[in-house]
Amino acid sequence: MYAVIDLETTIKEAYGRKANPITGENSVVAGAIKRQDSQEPQVIYCAPNNRTIGSTILSHCTNCTTLVGHNIKFDLLHLWPQIMTTNYGIWDTQLAEHILTGQQRGFVSLRDLATTDYQAAVREKNMEKFWEQGICTSKIPRSIVEADVHADVLDTEQVLKGHIKKAKELGCFNLIKAFGNGLLATAEMEWNGLQIDRTKFNVQKADVTVTLALLKNVLDKLIREYLPEPIEINLNSKDQISAVLFGGTIKYVERQPILEDGEPVRYKTGLRQGEIKTKLNDVKFIVEPNIGKNYRTATKKTGVFSTDDSILETILKDYTGKKIGEFVELLLEYRKLFKDYSTYYAGLEKAIYHTDSRIHPQFNFVATYTGRLSSTAPNAQNLPKPNRSDLTRAIVSRHKGGKLIGFDYSQLEVIGLALLSNAPILGGEIIQGADIHRRN
């Protein structure tokens, strides 16, 4: 037996989440439950900041085995922690649509899905009209909120019935149910988050900041030997680095005196009387190459060559001990530290919740065409490995005395393919330890 649920909440955004369910700053305004054995949804309108709404809603789901919703993880997180003590299966109609369409449909809205594909009645976007004006859900007339949440669960059930029929025809009913369990697991992961030791984090960030500044100072002096003073140095400029290595033309703007018959023109009157008149001129500076042509890889921009790390590493092998080799070596170190600071420390710092010093990333099931999980706010799947950055040393267990364990399955998808296909060549190569990804 299933129960379709939908919640309407206040909409304060925080840490990249609209209507953030984790900070405690949002609350449920109204909820609706439609049991499989009932004809009409039960609508509950909440008093402001009612923190027991989760228990009230779940009390209407007695004897139900599956909770159904559209983008249901949003609802589950607003029902946390009450949902933790239950044992429901999960069916998300947004995720089910993603699977049933071969990962072609992602963040499709309930209203579009229900009316376009599952013959639900078209209805006015009454709630959206208020939200677009910046009016919070709690300030929208009660009758409109209740009507909207009532219609949402009916539309969700309509989509659910169509999904069940399609899923059984395609033989993926159990797959969708299994993904629902995974969705519930990631909801718990998002709620729990990753604990950040702020003291460690701040010390490490300060160390990176100081080292980066020192390194930039050295590089600025080295590159100044190749570029004249008027050019403002930008170590992240592909044009400048390409010109220093492979030669090229750097354009810049310089204020130059206005000449007349070879003599500077001066102001004759006014506050600037006697001063030389100037104007801004475009200047082209030609830089001689310091690296052989065999290292050049063309880019889309004429006269600018690739300065990717892989190319710099190749150059470094052949120019170690030379001045330009020293520049390349330090530039590689600068890039590593710059990414460490800008992407990981500065980027991650914005995502650390003030309420619990944790990051609470979102895990998205419907964002890719490959069916793989993605992560946002922040991207927890893009944290650096310990050999690239010390950042992960600041991530600690949220339990006193607890430990964190990191592991990764090697070529899991390929092994699964070999088992399902019984391909002898593929199976043999896996047993021999071949790196299938690198080989292909």
Side-chain angles (χ1 to χ4, degrees):
M1 171 140 2
Y2 62 74
V4 181
I5 64 171
D6 184 65
L7 304 179
E8 296 295 349
T9 72
T10 53
I11 56 174
K12 184 172 182 179
E13 183 173 346
Y15 303 101
R17 286 179 184 258
K18 189 174 182 180
N20 191 309
I22 297 170
T23 60
E25 297 171 299
N26 286 297
S27 58
V28 176
V29 176
I33 310 98
K34 167 67 171 67
R35 293 171 59 96
Q36 186 176 358
D37 59 358
S38 65
Q39 294 298 314
E40 282 294 318
Q42 175 76 33
V43 177
I44 303 168
Y45 194 84
C46 307
N49 297 312
N50 181 354
R51 301 299 175 184
T52 64
I53 183 63
S55 299
T56 304
I57 289 176
L58 293 175
S59 69
H60 290 276
C61 302
T62 306
N63 298 325
C64 292
T65 57
T66 303
L67 294 183
V68 181
H70 192 81
N71 187 24
I72 194 173
K73 194 181 347 171
F74 172 86
D75 306 288
L76 296 176
L77 287 170
H78 277 283
L79 293 175
W80 223 270
Q82 290 93 335
I83 199 75
M84 288 178 62
T85 58
T86 64
N87 192 32
Y88 293 111
I90 302 296
W91 187 289
D92 184 349
T93 50
Q94 188 180 74
L95 174 56
E97 182 70 13
H98 186 63
I99 294 171
L100 290 168
T101 58
Q103 293 85 45
Q104 295 304 301
R105 302 189 79 174
F107 295 101
V108 59
S109 73
L110 171 63
R111 195 163 303 183
D112 289 343
L113 180 61
T115 56
T116 303
D117 297 271
Y118 295 94
Q119 295 76 53
V122 176
R123 50 193 171 99
E124 290 291 321
K125 296 183 177 181
N126 294 320
M127 297 276 285
E128 287 83 349
K129 292 176 183 177
F130 286 93
W131 289 333
E132 287 168 2
Q133 298 175 53
I135 299 174
C136 187
T137 312
S138 58
K139 303 297 183 183
I140 298 174
R142 177 173 176 172
S143 59
I144 292 177
V145 177
E146 289 183 337
D148 195 81
V149 76
H150 180 278
D152 278 350
V153 292
L154 291 178
D155 283 356
T156 303
E157 185 176 41
Q158 184 117 339
V159 174
L160 169 69
K161 290 177 179 178
H163 279 169
I164 292 174
K165 181 180 178 181
K166 284 184 180 180
K168 289 182 176 179
E169 290 173 354
L170 296 172
C172 57
F173 181 81
N174 290 332
L175 176 65
I176 295 174
K177 289 180 64 178
F179 265 89
N181 294 332
L183 187 145
L184 182 59
T186 56
E188 183 173 4
M189 289 162 59
E190 291 182 22
W191 181 269
N192 291 336
L194 286 171
Q195 189 74 48
I196 306 296
D197 185 323
R198 287 306 298 259
T199 301
K200 282 185 180 179
F201 182 90
N202 291 338
V203 169
Q204 290 171 196
K205 180 188 173 189
D207 288 344
V208 171
T209 303
V210 170
T211 305
L212 192 61
L214 292 172
L215 196 55
K216 182 180 183 303
N217 187 49
V218 174
L219 279 165
D220 283 351
K221 290 179 180 177
L222 286 175
I223 201 172
R224 185 57 75 196
E225 296 183 25
Y226 307 102
L227 302 180
E229 192 66 39
I231 297 177
E232 183 179 350
I233 292 173
N234 180 1
L235 295 173
N236 296 311
S237 167
K238 295 178 181 178
D239 290 18
Q240 288 189 13
I241 302 303
S242 173
V244 168
L245 296 177
F246 308 111
T249 301
I250 297 292
K251 298 178 182 179
Y252 64 97
V253 176
E254 185 177 45
R255 186 171 291 280
Q256 297 177 340
I258 298 174
L259 302 178
E260 188 175 286
D261 298 327
E263 294 296 323
V265 178
R266 297 179 182 274
Y267 289 97
K268 295 180 180 179
T269 59
L271 294 174
R272 302 183 66 181
Q273 183 177 356
E275 292 183 19
I276 296 174
K277 291 184 177 181
T278 62
K279 64 178 180 179
L280 292 175
N281 286 332
D282 292 329
V283 180
K284 293 181 180 180
F285 180 79
I286 298 175
V287 185
E288 296 299 322
N290 291 285
I291 298 293
K293 292 183 179 181
N294 55 311
Y295 297 98
R296 293 180 177 179
T297 299
T299 65
K300 293 180 180 179
K301 192 171 182 179
T302 304
V304 177
F305 301 96
S306 175
T307 59
D308 290 346
D309 287 358
S310 58
I311 291 175
L312 296 187
E313 287 164 0
T314 302
I315 292 172
L316 181 59
K317 290 178 182 177
D318 297 337
Y319 283 82
T320 299
K322 299 179 181 180
K323 184 180 291 187
I324 196 67
E326 179 188 2
F327 172 75
V328 169
E329 183 177 14
L330 292 174
L331 181 60
L332 283 167
E333 180 62 20
Y334 171 83
R335 285 182 174 179
K336 175 180 173 294
L337 280 175
F338 185 81
K339 182 176 182 180
D340 203 16
Y341 175 82
S342 61
T343 302
Y344 302 132
Y345 284 101
L348 192 68
E349 188 171 37
K350 299 173 185 176
I352 301 175
Y353 280 47
H354 71 279
T355 51
D356 57 9
S357 290
R358 300 179 191 177
I359 58 171
H360 295 270
Q362 299 181 65
F363 295 99
N364 310 306
F365 281 78
V366 299
T368 69
Y369 290 116
T370 61
R372 300 190 72 173
L373 204 63
S374 73
S375 174
T376 52
N379 183 358
Q381 294 170 300
N382 191 37
L383 296 177
K385 294 181 179 179
N387 63 344
R388 283 195 56 85
S389 171
D390 288 334
L391 174 69
T392 51
R393 297 181 186 277
I395 301 175
V396 297
S397 172
R398 69 183 191 278
H399 301 294
K400 187 176 181 179
K403 302 289 184 182
L404 293 180
I405 299 174
F407 61 91
D408 185 19
Y409 290 108
S410 177
Q411 304 185 121
L412 179 61
E413 297 94 338
V414 178
I415 294 172
L417 179 62
L419 288 171
L420 292 172
S421 65
N422 291 318
I425 296 176
L426 182 59
E429 289 189 340
I430 291 172
I431 292 171
Q432 293 168 17
D435 187 333
I436 306 300
H437 297 298
R438 186 176 297 275
R439 181 177 179 276
N440 291 289

